[in-house]
Structures are given as structure tokens and as C-alpha cells.
Amino acid sequence: MDKEGRKTINQGQEDEMEIYGYNLSRWKLAIVSVGVVCTGGFLLLLLYWLPEWRVKATCIRAAIKDCEVVLLRTTDEFKRWFCAKIRFLSLETHPFSSPKSIVNKVSNGHAVHLTENLPEENRHEMSRYSQTQSQQIRYFTHHSVRYFWDDTLHNFDFLKGLDEGVSCTSIYEKHSAGLTKGMHAYRKLLYGVNEISVKVPSAFKLLIKEVLNPFYIFQLFSVILWTTDEYYYYALAIVVMSVVSIVSSLYSIRKQYIMLHDMVAAHSTVRVSVCRVNEEAEEIFSTDLVPGDVMIIPLNGIVMPCDAVLINGTCIVNESMLTGESVPVTKTNLPNPSVDLKGTGDELYSPEIHRRHTLFCGTTVIQTRFYTGEFVKAIVVRTGYSTSKGQLVRSILYPKPTDFKLYRDAYLFLLCLVAVAGVGFIYTIINNILNEVEVRAIIVESLDIITITVPPALPAALTAGIVYAQRRLKKVGIFCISPQRINICGQLNLVCFDKTGTLTEDGLDLWGIRRVENTRFLLPEENICNEMLVKSQFVACMATCHSLTKIEGVLSGDPLDLKMFEAIGWILEEATEEETALHNRIMPTVVRPPKQLLPESAPAGNQEMELFELPAIYEIGIVRQFPFSSALQRMSVVARVLGDRKMDAYVKGAPEVIASLCKPETVPADFESVLEDYTKQGFRVIALAHRKLEAKLTWHKIQNIARDAIENNMDFMGLIIMQNKLKQETPAVLENLHKANIRTVMVTGDNMLTAVSVARDCGMILPQDKVIIAEALPPRDGKVAKINWHYADSLPQCSNSSAIDSEDIPMKLVHDCLEDPQVTRFHFAMSGKSFAVILEHFQELVPKLMLHGTVFARMAPDQKTQLVEALQNVDYFVGMCGDGANDCGALKKAHGGISLSELEASVASPFTSKTPSISCVPNLIREGRAALMTSFCVFKFMALYSIIQYFSVTLLYSILSNLGDFQFLFIDLAIILVVVFTMSLNPAWKELVAQRPPSGLISGALLFSVLSQIIISIGFQSLGFFWVKEQSWYEIWRPQSDACNTTRSLHWNSSDLYNETEIDSRNIQNYENTTVFFISSFQYLIVAIAFSKGKPFRQPCYKNYSVYTVSVACNSSHHCSCQCPCIYHCGGVRGLVGKMLLVLGPEL
């Protein structure tokens, strides 16, 4: 039964869950109903809060295949429970289920409905889902995703699109023709409506959900109890506060829903054209799209309503919605392996691997380039919440809980308070029974002690500091979409930085070029825009090998490409729609030099011959473009000079990669040393290569050729040297972080030695420190994987002396430098390829390398995420600062991800800085530390407030007394509430310090401070309580008595006081009560000041004028009412004293 009743869904993924099957049990339901009635509805609330208990209390275990309810439990560290009801999707009432067009297969309890001409791959995929006799499909919905019963897996699984298990060949051969209307209707039934629906709940639903929160239920219980005990004013005040809190909470929650709804709903429903099998284009709503539909991309662009892969044409896309990067990206059609030369037909399509061919939902197609008679087409691969945008929205709607030691310790502390309340509960019952108090009073007072010990306002008090910190962050241009992460940022002890655009300036300046002639490097050249080079292959490569395009007449694209193209001074022209319509193929983008750069015309005598033999102008057409791939670290183009028969292939990319694609005899012998020389100086170096293509490669063949067939056997042409300057504030910020003992790590896609050089220039690696490069080699030719260690100062190929023959490197050298400061410090550096090999084959070295690795170069986006995770595994609190492009995964994974993108639309990062500068990092950490310390201070204060009031009431219970209604009101409103919200106002300390705040409440220092304050408070209350009884003037006070002894001096009749006081039926008006009230009131203020910790994480308490003013006001009011009879006899103060049922002793 256990095997049948438990399965795992989403195995190996982030949202992996265990699933259990249950059927509803009538007898269990009857027992629960009786229990609900007997407990006054409390059992129903308990089952509402705990879905596991709810299902187990009302259902019995069943096989998942036949169950009515599923119980889900996450397999992560949080072990959260969810439940969902099994639903049925009927296939009987739909028009596509007619026998003529549908084959009904009944097997193993399933009825399958497919079109006769459906490809076998789709037939197999769609044959998994449905139920036998009734032709129904069983499914449940969890977090906006439908899970269908899959008979082949004997488990529930979500319906996948064309993004998994579909080959690139299959995309063209089986899916490029489109869907029939019957198949479209079938898929729409299964996949549902193509929309990312963020429903804004009604105010009533939100109200019910908010009110049923355990915190407000406890408030309701407390209010009922206080009303029963005749604490009407205090109960009314708490009700008003709760209503204000609920209304403000509802407003903020609904506002967030509306903002998210508006962001998602913008352009979510548009009319699109799709191609049908053997039919013309059909216009439908975007909400009707399903995976497999062939969508026609309109000429004027569109906001993509789904994820789709391009199969025809080219698109210019703005992906800022997903990445935060505003630079337009060129998307080309997916290579067709069946017609590509040397193509690999077995490659599976993946939206992540084939990003340059995939149009993602939510991104904006700005322009399209198309074939006449052939539209720009894309096949829909994912819809709805399965899209990249849908997954981002789901992560916002259903965030993972924040795992932070402070919150875990807070629950433990609350349990301790509950235990203390239990002791008080038992003491109150025993004491009242011994004093023969009536049963009703015993019940009320014993329950009242629980409401005193566990402060209902604790959650609101803890969030105050975070709210204030969020406001202060907003003032310095840092926006936060996950406020709970602010506290965690106070613990950051390592920050990863992207290089380009983060540590260095976003733009690159062209420093110069090093051309190669006769396999030798020429001298550096700075001026490229001249007549001598205008027709060289080197300049032709610079003019064509890029992804630039014109948008509304303005040249735009990658900043590096822009700088390179501007340096040669050429002109780029793109074909207009009218020009393209005149040809049978796509018109190429044309580049040409300005006329003044072209050599002068030949003499007049030979003019006719020159005009006949040479083209009038020098132009190059870009025939085919292979976009830049971060995995391949290169891009290439195929171009043709106007008038030439043969085409040219140009490649641009990382020097090491380009050199490996070239003929060895064309690469200069000193290539490594020249490259090392420039990279050590911090230059960004790009290599160029060229190849003359065979004449047999026609335009049509080029359009279908694989890039591997082009990018080989090249001639090495030289290097472009780009200067990437450090941002002005970078060295100072990194120095501040180092002084604060916060490690800094560089994670970049750039060259290794360039990254090491920049790390030295910005102070991440000190001049005297050594850098050891870990070069990991994967298993090859029967040899096991190994790691070569060498110093970054020398290349391993050139100098054997630089190699380090030691497997102890990650252990011995590092331990030596840690134990002895005189020893030179070591830093490890590695490339993305080495990092991947180490993760796979050298797991035991990963922790040691993570502890001392400083530079990680040539890192792919997913490797950045893996690095953040590896650092977290060795107990670092990791911050990640990037420009938003290619850093999304790492920004989401880090404890504190900060995007420097100017676009707030980037939802990948918890924090977004409007200022593209790393100066936001220290600001965030300072505010995080201040917010964390504020949470500690407020928590300790609220705990002491509970214990002080608990002991006050316990003392008074011993004489069958209690605090009065207005006394509770004064303490909670005039003191506690005001103090809590003012003590959170301390701003962050002006600089970062080496000391870090504690991460949890369970620490020696914190516990000692709390326990010592508890002992002091209890001691003084006990002293005052017993000392007042020893006074000569002490007597059991009655309203008619003149115990104050003030009437003789001020001719004031004590009956005035009696007239202004209420009848004391609960023995509140006595000397013990007044003494305990005054002492405890001063203790609240003293504890608030004692716990308002300032330097080194917050500004000192005396600079927080709000707390100072509140403390002085409360102390003054107490002093005046106690010590100054003339002020006391003022009508207002005298009335207040009377309302509080205080008894004032004679003048001292």
C-alpha cells in the first residue's frame, strides 16, 4: 500500500514533491464534524492551518491511481504540505471526438483520442492521458500547474510542450507544417488557455484569508477574554489596532496583486496568425495557442505571448523583461540538421541551449527580416505558466520560505514563552482554588495569563524594522521585491561580482589592433579608419562580424560590437520591406565604407575599362549570421563582397577558441606570449579569423549549412585589443568590503588572465598575493581526470618551472598562509570548463577551492548559479552583484542578489539598484545589518515586555488583584506600541565594520542580556511589592480613606477623587497595584533603552530623537503624577489617575 500510495513528482527538480493518495472517509468526516461542534469551531481552524492533518483526519489511504485527494510534501528542508482534489477532464462533449477523425484506443484504463495522420511521436505523447470507460482524464492543479495521470509512468506528471525530448530534426520534419483544427482543439483541452492568469482576489476573500491567520485568531480570542473580564477599553483599542492592521495589510497585498496582474496582463491577449495543415493562415487569439502551433511573427513586431522557436527568418528582440538587459538581441532560425552539411540530427532542442533561436514569452520582437512568400515563422513550444515568463511569475506568486536562523530561533523563543505561560496558567488555577475564587474568575484569569505572556503584537513589531530599512534603501535608489531578504543581507560575508559593466565600465574603448601577416604579428595600430586598411580582410571582418541592427534609424546592439564598428567608420544599410519584396530571397544587410576612405578613381584614359571590370562602389553583403554563443565563445558570419564569385567566412571570439579553429601554420609562434602580455594588463582581447569559401557553396546552401562546417580551417588574422576601464568607485568599495572582512569573488565570462589583471587592479587580489590557476582536464582516451596547478604569472606551456607538482595545494599552502600572516596569501583561479570538471570528478576539493577561490573566468550562466550554490554549501552568506544579463540564475540563488540594471522590470533579482554602481553593495549590507539588529532589539524588548507584565500580574494574582483596564491600555498603547515603532527608527551606522551581527537568538551574549534583565526586573518588582507593605502609612486602601494625606495641605476633599473613580469591584485599587504599575512602567522604558543597541551596526540611541522624546515624556508624566501634588490636583491628571485606579501615597 505504501508503495502504491506514495510517489515522487518533479523528480530531481527544484519543486520535487512526494505525493500520497487518499479517499474521503464518511465515518472520519462524521467524527471530525462532532469535534468541530464540541470545540466551538477551533478544530476546523486547526485543520485549515494544517493540510496534512485535514486530509488524514477526513480521508483514508488509497492507491494514487484511484485516489480522490492527493497530499503533497516538498522534499526540501522545509517539508511543506499541500493538498489538492482530483478532477476529471471529460472528452465526450467535444467536436473533435467524432469517430471519423479520431481513433479511440482503450488500453490499461485509458481512452486515447488522436487524429489519424498524427505523427507517431505525438501519438505516443498524447496517448498517456485519459481514463477508460468514461473517457475522462484525471488531473489535479498545484501552484497553477496541471498534473495529469500518466499510465506509462504510473504517476502524475505535468504536460510537457516541445521543450523536452524533441529533436531539432523533429521540429522541422514533424512540427513545421502546423496542426489540424482537430489536433489543436485536443491540445487546447489538455494544455488549457494560453495565459498567465494572475487573478486579483476580491477584498472579501482576502479579508477572510487574513482574518483566519493564527495571529488574528489569537487576537480575537484575547479580545473575547478581555471583554468577559470587563476590560472594555483595552479590548476596544486592540480591536481598532487589529482593524487598522488588517486594512493596511489587505491594501498592500491587493496592491501587489494588482501590480503583478497589470504587468502580466499587458499585451497578454492579442490576435495572431497561425498556419494550419494544408490550409492558409488562420487568425486566432493568442490565448488559443498550444504547443505545436506554427505562429507567424508580424512585420511590425509583437510582445510574445508564448515561448516559440524560430524556423524561418530573423528577429530583433528586446529581452529586458526577463534579463534586465536592454541591448536588442538578434534571433535566427533554428538550424535544420536534416539539410545542414555535417549536421547532427540527434541533437535535442532545448530553450536554454538554443536561446539564440528561441523567442521567449514577454519579450518584445522589434523587427523581423523575412522571405518573400515565406513568413517569419516560429513553432510554439511552451504556453501559459510553463513559459519562462510564467515560471518567473510563479516564483513571485509562490515563493519559497526564507530559511534564516533568526526566524527558526524566534519560534523556539515563542515556545519558551508558551512554556512560561503554562507555568503561570497552573499557578493561577492553584492560587485561585486555594483562595476559594469562583470558577468563572478562575477560568478567565488563568486564560488571561496566556494572552499576557505571548505578545499578540510580536509579528507586527518585528516587521517594523524591515519596513523602515526598505524605505531607507528606496531613498538611496535600491528597490526591493523581497523585504524578508533585507535581514539576511545583514549576514553577507561574501559577494560575487560580475566584471564587465559591474566592476568595469559598461562600454569598451578600442585601444588598437595587432594584425598578422606571414604568421607574424605586426606592430600595434591605433588608427584603423584609413585608406590603407579599408579593403583588408581584417577590416572586412570588423565590418561584418557583429549583430548590429538599425532600430528606427539608430544603430543598436552589443556595446562591444558598436565600438568596433564605430572605429572603422563604415555605414550599415538594411533592406526595406519594399526592396525585399522585389527579390525571391531575403535581402542581405549591406556594409560599406564612406566614399572618402575609398582609393581615388583611375585616370580618365582607362575609365571605361575600370568601370567595366570593377564595381562602382565597394560593398559587402552579410549573407548568413551565426549569433554569438556564450557556450562556444564566438560568433561568425558568411559575407560576399559585391562582384565576387566566392563568399567569405569571418569568425570573431575568444582568442584561445579562435586559434584552435585556425590552421596551425597561420597562428604566430608567439601567440600565447602576446596574448598573455595584453591580458595581464587588463585588456579585453578578441581574435579574428577568415576563410575563403568554395564556389560551390551557393546562397541556398549557405542558408542551411551548419556553423561547424563554416568555423574550421580558418586563417588567423590578428587581435583586437579593447580597453575596459575600472569604474571610479570600484577600488574604494572593494577596500571597504575587505576591511569589513567580507570576501569578494569575481565571476565573469571574460578571459582568465584579463580577469586576474582586473582583480589585481581593483584590489580584489593584493600585489604581493600569488594566484594559482587550477586547470582541470576531463577524462580522455582512457586517462582519468586530473588537475594541473600553475601560477598565473607564467603560462604552463612555456615554463615548466611555473607548474606546481602538489596535490596539497588547496590544503597545505592555504593553511600555512592562514596560520602565519608573514606567508604570502594564495588565491585560486579557474575557468568555467575546469570548474565543471572539478564539480564532477573532484568533489572533495570543492570546499577547499570555494574557501580560497577568487577568480572564476569563462563562466556560463548556469555555472554562475552552481558557483553560488557551492559557496552556500560551505556556509557562506552569498551576495551576487551583476548587470542583469546572464546573471539571472545566480541573482535568484544568492542570499542577496543585486541587479545593476536600470530596468525595474527585471524580476530575477530581489534587489535592483537604480544607480549602475557597486556602491549599492555596502549600502545594502549596512541597512541589512541595521534591520537585523533592530529585529533582535525588538524581539528582546517584546520578550522582556511579556515577562515583566507576566510577573506583574502574577504578583497581583497572589493578593487576588490585577492590573486595571486603563493601566493595560496605557502600558500597551502609550509605552509599548510607541516605543516599538520608534526604537526601529535608528538608521544604519555610517560605515561597515569587521564585526558581524549574530545570526540567531540562541547565543550566549543575547541570552545573558535577556536573562540578566529578567532577573533585575523581577528583583525590583518583588522589592517594591513587599517594601510598600512595610511602610508605616500602608493600609488596605478603600475609596473613602484618605491614605494619600494630601487634603490638609491643599484643602481638597477626597470625595472628589471618589466621584471620579469607578467602583473597584475587582480589588485593583490598592498600594501594591500602584507600586507594581509604576515600577513596571519604568522597567519597560529602561529595557527599551538598554536593548536599543547602536554602534557598530546602528546609529546611537541618543540620535534617535523619537525614542528619547517618548522616554522623557513617559518618565515626566509618571514623575509629575507621583511627586507633584499641585499638578496631580489638576483636573486632567487627577481624572487620569482616577481612571487608572491608582492609589498615591503621602509626600516623601
Side-chain angles (χ1 to χ4, degrees):
M1 172 61 75
D2 187 68
K3 188 176 180 182
E4 282 295 317
R6 182 180 66 179
K7 299 281 187 180
T8 301
I9 59 174
N10 303 329
Q11 196 156 12
Q13 300 178 30
E14 190 178 3
D15 54 351
E16 181 181 280
M17 291 179 290
E18 291 177 351
I19 178 172
Y20 305 83
Y22 285 86
N23 283 339
L24 198 64
S25 171
R26 292 185 178 180
W27 65 268
K28 279 192 171 186
L29 196 60
I31 293 174
V32 168
S33 301
V34 173
V36 169
V37 174
C38 294
T39 58
F42 179 72
L43 180 60
L44 190 63
L45 279 172
L46 198 63
L47 296 180
Y48 170 78
W49 295 330
L50 301 169
E52 179 195 5
W53 291 18
R54 180 167 73 249
V55 172
K56 290 183 177 179
T58 57
C59 302
I60 55 174
R61 286 291 292 272
I64 294 178
K65 181 180 179 181
D66 305 312
C67 65
E68 299 172 355
V69 178
V70 290
L71 188 62
L72 307 165
R73 187 180 71 166
T74 61
T75 57
D76 56 17
E77 65 271 25
F78 303 105
K79 306 294 182 186
R80 292 173 296 158
W81 291 91
F82 304 93
C83 65
K85 186 178 179 181
I86 297 295
R87 301 183 183 277
F88 295 90
L89 193 64
S90 176
L91 305 177
E92 296 175 340
T93 58
H94 294 274
F96 58 81
S97 60
S98 59
K100 294 181 180 179
S101 61
I102 300 297
V103 179
N104 295 328
K105 293 185 179 180
V106 180
S107 62
N108 196 18
H110 284 71
V112 183
H113 305 267
L114 299 170
T115 53
E116 303 238 11
N117 60 351
L118 190 63
E120 188 60 36
E121 181 179 320
N122 280 357
R123 185 185 296 270
H124 173 71
E125 177 67 24
M126 304 301 289
S127 66
R128 301 176 175 185
Y129 311 98
S130 64
Q131 198 70 0
T132 34
Q133 295 87 358
S134 60
Q135 298 186 4
Q136 290 182 324
I137 305 175
R138 304 173 70 248
Y139 74 96
F140 69 90
T141 304
H142 175 67
H143 285 178
S144 302
V145 175
R146 281 183 177 183
Y147 293 85
F148 292 90
W149 175 256
D150 186 338
D151 232 358
T152 60
L153 298 176
H154 299 287
N155 197 0
F156 282 97
D157 194 13
F158 65 90
L159 198 60
K160 299 175 179 64
L162 302 183
D163 56 318
E164 290 188 32
V166 179
S167 66
C168 294
T169 303
S170 177
I171 290 283
Y172 278 96
E173 293 180 355
K174 299 180 180 180
H175 300 283
S176 60
L179 302 175
T180 62
K181 289 187 177 181
M183 194 61 216
H184 175 270
Y186 185 92
R187 289 194 179 184
K188 186 183 174 184
L189 179 67
L190 287 177
Y191 285 98
V193 178
N194 172 37
E195 63 177 358
I196 303 171
S197 176
V198 179
K199 295 180 180 177
V200 180
S202 65
F204 179 74
K205 280 186 178 180
L206 285 175
L207 176 65
I208 296 299
K209 189 175 180 181
E210 190 73 12
V211 167
L212 292 181
N213 186 292
F215 163 64
Y216 289 115
I217 295 297
F218 184 65
Q219 289 277 46
L220 179 63
F221 164 75
S222 302
V223 166
I224 294 171
L225 185 67
W226 296 328
T227 305
T228 307
D229 205 18
E230 299 179 3
Y231 287 96
Y232 301 118
Y233 291 105
Y234 184 65
L236 181 63
I238 294 299
V239 167
V240 171
M241 287 170 54
S242 298
V243 168
V244 171
S245 175
I246 289 172
V247 169
S248 61
S249 179
L250 288 183
Y251 174 77
S252 61
I253 292 172
R254 188 170 168 80
K255 184 180 178 183
Q256 289 174 2
Y257 268 110
I258 291 172
M259 286 176 62
L260 188 59
H261 175 269
D262 292 345
M263 182 188 80
V264 171
H267 312 293
S268 62
T269 304
V270 292
R271 295 191 73 87
V272 294
S273 295
V274 294
C275 296
R276 295 283 177 234
V277 175
N278 301 325
E279 295 181 21
E280 295 182 358
E282 177 189 0
E283 196 172 76
I284 62 173
F285 283 107
S286 58
T287 50
D288 294 330
L289 288 171
V290 296
D293 270 332
V294 177
M295 178 181 171
I296 298 173
I297 310 298
L299 302 178
N300 55 350
I302 187 176
V303 176
M304 287 299 297
C306 58
D307 288 352
V309 57
L310 268 175
I311 56 171
N312 273 345
T314 305
C315 294
I316 310 298
V317 185
N318 183 344
E319 292 189 325
S320 59
M321 165 63 200
L322 295 179
T323 65
E325 179 62 46
S326 58
V327 175
V329 181
T330 301
K331 303 279 186 172
T332 58
N333 60 294
L334 183 74
N336 187 349
S338 61
V339 295
D340 283 354
L341 302 179
K342 300 182 182 179
T344 55
D346 295 328
E347 184 181 12
L348 294 178
Y349 167 73
S350 167
E352 292 304 316
I353 295 174
H354 300 96
R355 287 186 68 87
R356 287 289 182 173
H357 315 294
T358 305
L359 304 173
F360 292 102
C361 180
T363 60
T364 305
V365 177
I366 304 170
Q367 285 183 357
T368 61
R369 296 178 186 170
F370 61 96
Y371 297 83
T372 301
E374 289 190 43
F375 298 108
V376 177
K377 296 178 183 177
I379 298 176
V380 177
V381 293
R382 294 186 298 204
T383 57
Y385 277 101
S386 298
T387 63
S388 50
K389 181 180 176 181
Q391 290 166 9
L392 281 174
V393 173
R394 282 184 67 219
S395 68
I396 297 173
L397 285 174
Y398 314 107
K400 284 186 70 174
T402 306
D403 183 28
F404 193 38
K405 197 170 184 293
L406 169 65
Y407 304 132
R408 297 199 302 269
D409 290 351
Y411 287 119
L412 289 175
F413 215 96
L414 280 176
L415 287 176
C416 293
L417 290 179
V418 170
V420 171
V423 174
F425 179 81
I426 296 169
Y427 164 78
T428 304
I429 293 174
I430 294 172
N431 180 67
N432 286 342
I433 290 174
L434 292 176
N435 287 280
E436 299 180 353
V437 178
E438 61 181 23
V439 176
R440 178 184 176 279
I442 292 176
I443 295 172
V444 171
E445 289 186 358
S446 57
L447 291 175
D448 190 32
I449 200 79
I450 296 175
T451 66
I452 290 169
T453 314
V454 183
L458 182 60
L462 285 175
T463 56
I466 297 175
V467 170
Y468 292 140
Q470 191 174 2
R471 289 180 182 175
R472 289 194 294 267
L473 285 172
K474 194 171 183 179
K475 286 181 181 178
V476 294
I478 300 174
F479 295 88
C480 173
I481 62 171
S482 181
Q484 294 299 326
R485 295 234 187 177
I486 297 176
N487 269 345
I488 302 177
C489 287
Q491 281 292 310
L492 294 184
N493 55 0
L494 183 146
V495 182
C496 298
F497 292 97
D498 185 29
K499 184 179 78 69
T500 307
T502 303
L503 297 174
T504 61
E505 295 289 349
D506 203 8
L508 294 167
D509 296 321
L510 184 67
W511 181 83
I513 62 172
R514 290 292 299 270
R515 292 188 296 130
V516 171
E517 284 188 6
N518 300 323
T519 69
R520 297 185 64 182
F521 278 110
L522 302 180
L523 293 175
E525 300 170 81
E526 293 184 17
N527 182 21
I528 310 166
C529 187
N530 60 64
E531 294 182 7
M532 298 292 294
L533 299 175
V534 70
K535 289 192 176 183
S536 66
Q537 296 289 4
F538 195 97
V539 170
C541 183
M542 293 178 68
T544 57
C545 199
H546 53 72
S547 57
L548 301 178
T549 186
K550 279 191 173 180
I551 298 174
E552 297 180 356
V554 179
L555 204 61
S556 61
D558 186 87
L560 186 147
D561 289 345
L562 275 173
K563 283 286 182 183
M564 186 179 70
F565 193 77
E566 288 169 0
I568 59 175
W570 281 41
I571 299 164
L572 182 141
E573 293 179 349
E574 291 180 330
T576 63
E577 183 180 340
E578 292 79 12
E579 290 172 334
T580 307
L582 296 174
H583 299 76
N584 291 325
R585 62 191 185 198
I586 189 169
M587 281 290 290
T589 297
V590 173
V591 292
R592 57 181 175 82
K595 291 181 180 179
Q596 59 268 28
L597 287 181
L598 292 172
E600 293 183 3
S601 301
N606 297 330
Q607 189 171 3
E608 288 186 13
M609 183 179 66
E610 293 290 337
L611 287 173
F612 177 78
E613 292 181 357
L614 296 173
I617 55 174
Y618 181 69
E619 285 184 350
I620 304 177
I622 302 172
V623 179
R624 176 89 188 271
Q625 180 189 92
F626 298 97
F628 175 79
S629 165
S630 56
L632 300 175
Q633 297 177 5
R634 64 180 183 267
M635 77 164 292
S636 59
V637 293
V638 176
R640 173 160 31 190
V641 177
L642 186 64
D644 279 8
R645 289 185 59 204
K646 294 183 179 180
M647 298 187 191
D648 298 280
Y650 298 104
V651 185
K652 173 189 75 176
E656 308 93 329
V657 174
I658 300 302
S660 68
L661 300 175
C662 294
K663 303 171 188 172
E665 62 270 17
T666 65
V667 181
D670 57 347
F671 166 75
E672 289 91 352
S673 59
V674 171
L675 176 61
E676 180 188 11
D677 183 50
Y678 284 114
T679 52
K680 278 187 176 179
Q681 297 176 55
F683 291 109
R684 183 169 183 180
V685 184
I686 298 160
L688 306 182
H690 163 260
R691 172 186 161 196
K692 204 75 173 175
L693 298 178
E694 300 84 357
K696 65 179 182 180
L697 288 176
T698 62
W699 185 93
H700 286 288
K701 287 183 179 179
I702 289 295
Q703 297 307 314
N704 296 311
I705 198 169
R707 69 186 299 168
D708 291 342
I710 296 292
E711 297 170 347
N712 65 72
N713 210 30
M714 311 290 288
D715 294 331
F716 190 82
M717 291 200 300
L719 305 173
I720 299 176
I721 298 104
M722 311 289 286
Q723 191 172 19
N724 197 194
K725 297 177 182 177
L726 281 176
K727 289 184 178 178
Q728 188 175 357
E729 63 278 359
T730 295
V733 170
L734 294 183
E735 185 181 0
N736 289 338
L737 293 176
H738 289 160
K739 286 180 180 178
N741 282 342
I742 296 172
R743 256 188 78 193
T744 53
V745 170
M746 183 187 296
V747 190
T748 178
D750 208 343
N751 174 276
M752 169 72 76
L753 294 180
T754 301
V756 171
S757 173
V758 172
R760 287 195 182 276
D761 291 343
C762 67
M764 195 175 283
I765 299 174
L766 299 179
Q768 68 271 21
D769 293 352
K770 289 284 187 181
V771 178
I772 298 173
I773 294 178
E775 185 184 4
L777 303 175
R780 187 176 299 171
D781 300 330
K783 296 180 180 179
V784 297
K786 68 172 183 175
I787 303 178
N788 294 327
W789 310 92
H790 59 87
Y791 291 113
D793 299 334
S794 307
L795 284 174
Q797 298 95 326
C798 303
S799 174
N800 291 328
S801 63
S802 69
I804 304 169
D805 183 20
S806 173
E807 294 185 359
D808 301 334
I809 284 296
M811 294 157 273
K812 185 174 183 303
L813 290 179
V814 172
H815 284 307
D816 289 346
C817 72
L818 286 177
E819 292 170 5
D820 185 3
Q822 303 291 333
V823 179
T824 305
R825 291 180 59 206
F826 287 86
H827 301 263
F828 293 107
M830 67 193 75
S831 66
K833 290 180 180 178
S834 296
F835 178 71
V837 172
I838 290 170
L839 278 185
E840 186 176 354
H841 300 284
F842 300 94
Q843 273 291 331
E844 70 282 357
L845 287 182
V846 171
K848 300 178 179 68
L849 291 173
M850 291 304 103
L851 288 172
H852 303 282
T854 302
V855 175
F856 297 84
R858 298 293 188 209
M859 296 287 279
D862 60 327
Q863 290 175 333
K864 292 183 180 182
T865 307
Q866 291 170 353
L867 173 64
V868 170
E869 192 171 0
L871 289 166
Q872 290 172 337
N873 289 339
V874 290
D875 293 335
Y876 275 112
F877 283 88
V878 183
M880 173 71 196
C881 184
D883 59 2
N886 298 324
D887 298 321
C888 295
L891 288 168
K892 287 180 69 176
K893 187 70 180 176
H895 291 108
I898 316 162
S899 171
L900 300 187
S901 166
E902 293 182 2
L903 300 168
E904 277 190 86
S906 177
V907 293
S909 174
F911 301 94
T912 302
S913 174
K914 295 294 286 182
T915 307
S917 159
I918 65 169
S919 58
C920 63
V921 175
N923 288 335
L924 178 61
I925 296 175
R926 284 191 308 106
E927 289 296 346
R929 289 181 172 186
L932 185 57
M933 284 310 301
T934 298
S935 296
F936 284 131
C937 294
V938 170
F939 197 94
K940 290 194 294 181
F941 172 74
M942 293 298 288
L944 259 294
Y945 146 66
S946 298
I947 296 298
I948 290 171
Q949 194 170 85
Y950 166 81
F951 194 72
S952 300
V953 172
T954 305
L955 279 175
L956 295 176
Y957 275 3
S958 68
I959 60 169
L960 302 182
S961 180
N962 200 352
L963 292 173
D965 192 359
F966 275 91
Q967 289 174 345
F968 276 121
L969 199 63
F970 179 80
I971 290 171
D972 282 20
L973 295 188
I975 299 180
I976 304 303
L977 196 65
V978 177
V979 166
V980 162
F981 285 102
T982 52
M983 75 185 296
S984 301
L985 289 172
N986 288 40
W989 185 244
K990 55 190 175 184
E991 59 187 26
L992 281 175
V993 294
Q995 180 184 354
R996 276 197 305 147
S999 60
L1001 290 165
I1002 312 299
S1003 66
L1006 286 173
L1007 289 177
F1008 178 77
S1009 67
V1010 171
L1011 290 174
S1012 60
Q1013 287 293 338
I1014 289 174
I1015 293 170
I1016 292 170
S1017 301
I1018 290 175
F1020 274 96
Q1021 279 197 48
S1022 302
L1023 181 65
F1025 182 80
F1026 293 109
W1027 181 76
V1028 73
K1029 294 182 179 182
E1030 301 298 324
Q1031 302 307 305
S1032 57
W1033 42 263
Y1034 173 78
E1035 62 179 274
I1036 297 177
W1037 193 87
R1038 295 179 302 277
Q1040 293 82 3
S1041 67
D1042 193 14
C1044 296
N1045 197 24
T1046 58
T1047 57
R1048 291 187 294 276
S1049 59
L1050 293 171
H1051 311 289
W1052 173 64
N1053 192 343
S1054 64
S1055 64
D1056 294 340
L1057 176 62
Y1058 176 70
N1059 291 334
E1060 295 185 10
T1061 58
E1062 299 175 358
I1063 301 301
D1064 183 17
S1065 60
R1066 292 175 295 158
N1067 191 27
I1068 290 172
Q1069 202 166 11
N1070 53 62
Y1071 283 113
E1072 291 90 339
N1073 171 287
T1074 303
T1075 302
V1076 169
F1077 170 74
F1078 279 129
I1079 291 175
S1080 63
S1081 296
F1082 280 109
Q1083 285 178 340
Y1084 298 133
L1085 298 172
I1086 291 167
V1087 167
I1089 294 171
F1091 285 159
S1092 289
K1093 187 174 175 61
K1095 190 177 177 182
F1097 306 118
R1098 304 197 306 164
Q1099 294 286 355
C1101 182
Y1102 59 80
K1103 288 192 176 182
N1104 187 345
Y1105 302 111
S1106 302
V1107 170
Y1108 182 76
T1109 304
V1110 168
S1111 301
V1112 170
C1114 291
N1115 281 320
S1116 300
S1117 64
H1118 282 118
H1119 178 80
C1120 292
S1121 60
C1122 297
Q1123 302 295 330
C1124 188
C1126 61
I1127 294 180
Y1128 166 75
H1129 289 135
C1130 245
V1133 176
R1134 191 152 46 91
L1136 179 63
V1137 170
K1139 284 287 185 184
M1140 288 192 179
L1141 301 179
L1142 298 176
V1143 180
L1144 302 182
E1147 292 184 76
L1148 300 178

